[in-house]
């Protein structure tokens, strides 16, 4: 199959109208989309990803009004969308238009992506566009065009080129259909922010508690029987002390990578000393190993780099990725959740 890789929103909107599958960037991660009005096209998305059929898709809209046309939007639902959309918030709402995918569900997950170009593309498709994250089921979501092309060129009809994702982790999912609103998936919009509008928001305990992370006892997220967001390499969550210790003792290792806030001058000095003893080509090799060390300064930067780092580690056949625990505070909730999921034992 020939994949049209283009920034022409019109051409790529036409593909969706014709019942084809198109990958597009959002502010969170890339999505793999089909028309919500076309069941067969949506089912193809499941096939391409290898996604279990019982996991429904998010419908992406260009405006609050277009959501109201097909879903019942309560006063509070509207307030949430006005405050957090366009942006990384997905709401589960009662569905009015029963013909929309998935037909057998009374509810629809809705979200308005932040990038105006993407909203224009959705508008041109006639909308909405149903899309899970663009990744093979179980693997980390993708945040770089190059990775998307590597996995999906020849498997989908189109790839839309636009601004790359910046948040790096998937949207916060909030259900408004039960007796109380509940947080189904943590993300960049955090439960504390949501509680300003939803004081009775139900937040599963492990999402907000803060047990100290340790290499030996990685706490499990709720309901995560299945491995998600995980690279092939084994991910280890480490406290700052453990992270620094592992750098100082293992920085020579060719099959280990690190991502976190802390750095050890001792480890770097050891590395540099080694390299100066080598020939120039060896030196280059030595320095390329620094690609397997990613230093971040905020939780947000950590989240934005995480999945692409996982991808590059797998490409270089890294066996173990040591991740420093995120800092308590802004950005902690969603990042911590993704790291825990990635670290679940295989
Ligand atoms: O940031 C994101 O949300 C990205 C971009 C592409 O928008 N999408 C994404 O989709 O992460 P996906 O399919 O990987 O995750 C959607 C989540 C799943 O956990 C799914 O179970 C849940 O939303 N979901 C979808 N429809 C639902 C519904 N009607 N009721 C409950 N949960 C639903
Ligand atoms: Mg996903």
């Amino acid at each position: 199959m020939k994949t049209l890789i283009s920034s022409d929103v019109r051409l790529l909107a036409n593909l969706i109208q014709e019942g084809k599958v198109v990958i597009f960037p959002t502010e969170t991660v890339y999505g793999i989309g089909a028309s919500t009005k076309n069941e067969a096209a949506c089912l193809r998305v499941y096939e391409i990803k290898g996604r279990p059929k019982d996991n429904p898709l998010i419908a992406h809209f260009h405006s609050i009004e277009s959501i109201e046309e097909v879903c019942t939007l309560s006063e509070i639902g509207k307030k949430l969308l006005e405050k957090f959309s366009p942006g990384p918030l997905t709401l589960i709402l009662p569905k009015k238009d029963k013909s929309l995918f998935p037909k057998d569900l009374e509810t629809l997950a809705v979200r308005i992506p932040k990038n105006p170009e993407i909203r224009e593309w959705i508008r041109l498709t006639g909308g909405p566009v149903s899309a899970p994250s663009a990744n093979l089921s179980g693997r980390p979501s993708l945040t770089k065009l190059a990775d998307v092309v590597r996995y999906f060129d020849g498997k989908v009809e189109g790839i839309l080129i636009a601004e790359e994702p910046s948040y790096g982790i998937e949207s916060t999912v909030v259900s408004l259909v039960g007796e109380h609103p509940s947080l189904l998936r943590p993300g960049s919009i955090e439960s504390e922010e949501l509680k300003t509008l939803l004081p009775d928001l139900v937040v599963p305990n492990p999402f907000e508690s803060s047990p100290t992370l340790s290499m030996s006892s990685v706490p499990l997220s709720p309901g995560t029987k299945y491995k998600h967001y995980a690279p092939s390499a084994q991910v280890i969550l480490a406290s700052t002390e453990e992270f620094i210790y592992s750098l100082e003792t293992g920085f020579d290792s060719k099959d280990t990578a690190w991502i976190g806030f802390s750095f050890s001058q001792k480890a770097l000095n050891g590395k540099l000393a080694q390299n100066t003893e080598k020939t120039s080509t060896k030196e280059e090799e030595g320095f390329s190993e620094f690609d397997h060390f990613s230093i971040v300064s905020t939780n947000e930067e950590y989240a934005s780099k995480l999945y692409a780092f996982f991808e590059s580690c797998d490409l270089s056949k890294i066996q173990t990725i040591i991740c420093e625990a995120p800092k308590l505070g802004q950005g902690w909730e969603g990042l911590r959740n993704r790291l825990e999921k990635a670290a679940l034992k295989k």
Side-chain angles (χ1 to χ4, degrees), residues 226-275:
Y226 308 108
K227 217 169 151 67
H228 284 288
Y229 316 112
S232 304
Q234 180 64 56
V235 171
I236 292 176
L237 269 180
S239 67
T240 295
E241 294 72 36
E242 289 164 333
F243 186 79
I244 292 175
Y245 179 77
S246 75
L247 272 175
E248 286 177 357
T249 52
F251 207 48
D252 290 346
S253 167
K254 295 246 186 308
D255 56 11
T256 306
W258 289 263
I259 182 167
F261 305 91
S262 304
F263 191 55
S264 154
Q265 196 57 42
K266 201 167 139 195
L268 179 65
N269 290 345
K271 189 85 219 157
L272 290 177
Q274 254 186 28
N275 279 331

Side-chain angles (χ1 to χ4, degrees), residues 16 169 240:
I16 294 286
I169 59 170
T240 295

Side-chain angles (χ1 to χ4, degrees), residues 184-239:
L184 301 187
R185 179 173 72 186
S188 317
I189 296 171
E190 306 196 291
S191 48
E192 283 314 309
E193 287 174 86
L194 292 164
K195 279 180 183 167
T196 58
L197 287 177
L198 293 173
D200 59 339
L201 180 74
V202 177
V203 181
N205 239 341
F207 289 176
E208 61 179 359
S209 61
S210 55
T212 310
L213 291 168
S214 131
M215 282 215 216
S216 49
S217 64
V218 176
L220 302 187
S221 292
T224 47
K225 284 183 293 189
Y226 308 108
K227 217 169 151 67
H228 284 288
Y229 316 112
S232 304
Q234 180 64 56
V235 171
I236 292 176
L237 269 180
S239 67

Side-chain angles (χ1 to χ4, degrees), residues 110-299:
V110 306
R111 155 164 146 71
I112 308 175
K114 199 164 190 166
N115 181 346
E117 237 181 311
I118 297 303
R119 294 204 301 278
E120 175 59 6
W121 170 71
I122 294 170
R123 196 185 64 78
L124 290 170
T125 68
V129 174
S130 284
S133 49
N135 52 288
L136 302 179
S137 196
R139 285 200 52 86
S141 301
L142 300 177
T143 55
K144 297 278 176 229
L145 179 65
D147 290 328
V148 166
V149 170
R150 189 158 44 82
Y151 280 102
F152 292 105
D153 192 12
K155 298 200 172 91
V156 295
E157 282 84 4
I159 297 176
L160 177 57
I161 302 178
E163 193 182 331
E164 292 259 67
S166 54
Y167 288 80
I169 59 170
E170 306 80 355
S171 62
T172 301
V173 181
V174 174
S175 171
L176 295 182
V177 294
E179 199 184 326
H180 295 284
S182 62
L183 181 65
L184 301 187
R185 179 173 72 186
S188 317
I189 296 171
E190 306 196 291
S191 48
E192 283 314 309
E193 287 174 86
L194 292 164
K195 279 180 183 167
T196 58
L197 287 177
L198 293 173
D200 59 339
L201 180 74
V202 177
V203 181
N205 239 341
F207 289 176
E208 61 179 359
S209 61
S210 55
T212 310
L213 291 168
S214 131
M215 282 215 216
S216 49
S217 64
V218 176
L220 302 187
S221 292
T224 47
K225 284 183 293 189
Y226 308 108
K227 217 169 151 67
H228 284 288
Y229 316 112
S232 304
Q234 180 64 56
V235 171
I236 292 176
L237 269 180
S239 67
T240 295
E241 294 72 36
E242 289 164 333
F243 186 79
I244 292 175
Y245 179 77
S246 75
L247 272 175
E248 286 177 357
T249 52
F251 207 48
D252 290 346
S253 167
K254 295 246 186 308
D255 56 11
T256 306
W258 289 263
I259 182 167
F261 305 91
S262 304
F263 191 55
S264 154
Q265 196 57 42
K266 201 167 139 195
L268 179 65
N269 290 345
K271 189 85 219 157
L272 290 177
Q274 254 186 28
N275 279 331
T276 50
E277 288 159 19
K278 292 173 180 169
T279 66
S280 62
T281 40
K282 281 270 159 91
E283 237 175 77
E284 277 156 28
E285 266 173 38
F287 273 104
S288 74
E289 283 159 30
F290 283 90
D291 293 347
H292 304 134
F293 180 77
S294 183
I295 191 154
V296 298
S297 52
T298 61
N299 287 336

Side-chain angles (χ1 to χ4, degrees), residues 307-326:
Y307 289 151
F309 188 71
F310 283 171
E311 278 303 322
S312 83
C313 288
D314 276 353
L315 263 183
S316 349
K317 308 259 184 307
I318 289 287
Q319 298 298 307
T320 309
I321 305 172
I322 302 183
C323 301
E324 185 175 352

Side-chain angles (χ1 to χ4, degrees), residues 39-81:
E39 187 176 32
C42 289
L43 289 173
R44 250 195 76 220
V45 169
Y46 282 77
E47 246 166 67
I48 296 167
K49 276 196 65 158
R51 181 179 176 100
K53 290 276 165 17
D54 58 358
N55 197 2
L57 307 183
I58 298 174
H60 296 72
F61 291 79
H62 73 277
S63 68
I64 296 180
E65 295 69 42
S66 56
I67 291 176
E68 276 184 299
E69 282 169 21
V70 295
C71 289
T72 308
L73 191 59
S74 61
E75 196 71 14
I76 193 66
K78 194 159 184 175
K79 280 198 179 135
L80 281 165
L81 289 179

